[in-house]
Amino acid sequence: MERSRSLGPALPPYEPLSEGLDMEGLPRSTVVSVEPSPPPPPPRDHLAWSLCTTLYANICCLGFMALVFSVKSRDRKVLGDYSGALSYGSTAKYLNITALLLNIFLIILLIALIASSTISVVNLFNQEREHHPFLNPT
């Protein structure tokens, strides 16, 4: 009651001010319109990546495990459990990354072994040709 006496009578919204009242005597208010934010995108399940890893790079069954976690993530997403889907999708992603890095390492190792064995065979062949001159073509 004390507040209405000091600020003047309370006015309903959108009515003109009475004679003798000005805006200085009324309390100031700020209107903030809150729009609903769009829903967050559903978590990724990395199913296609896991399927490719299973078919082409299934080292230590990491691709198959990634596929299992991707399917679990998709099931959780369908049920509406986004935190579970995010957890399973993250696990599938890390398994795919691990399988990819191991495959890259093994390919580099295989290329290095083939290159070094080829160099060794060529050196051995050149040494044999020097010791046995009759093997040289004429």
Side-chain angles (χ1 to χ4, degrees), residues 7-9 11 15-23 25-26:
L7 298 177
L11 298 175
E15 288 188 16
L17 291 174
S18 305
E19 291 295 322
L21 286 179
D22 60 352
M23 292 298 294
L26 296 177

Side-chain angles (χ1 to χ4, degrees), residues 38-105:
R44 298 188 55 171
D45 54 16
H46 306 286
L47 185 65
W49 188 11
S50 298
L51 189 61
C52 289
T53 303
T54 301
L55 294 176
Y56 298 113
N58 195 15
I59 187 158
C60 300
C61 292
L62 289 176
F64 180 71
M65 289 170 43
L67 183 65
V68 168
F69 279 99
S70 293
V71 170
K72 283 183 176 185
S73 174
R74 182 158 286 194
D75 289 344
R76 287 288 160 193
K77 187 168 40 172
V78 168
L79 292 175
D81 179 16
Y82 289 125
S83 65
L86 185 65
S87 173
Y88 284 131
S90 168
T91 303
K93 179 175 118 179
Y94 290 128
L95 287 170
N96 283 322
I97 289 171
T98 304
L100 178 68
L101 291 176
L102 282 174
N103 280 316
I104 290 172
F105 174 73

Side-chain angles (χ1 to χ4, degrees), residues 2 13 29 33 35 41-42 45 48 50 54 57 87 96 103 106 115 119 121 124 130:
E2 188 68 34
S29 65
S33 63
E35 297 178 10
D45 54 16
S50 298
T54 301
S87 173
N96 283 322
N103 280 316
L106 286 177
I119 291 171
V121 167
L124 183 65
E130 287 175 5

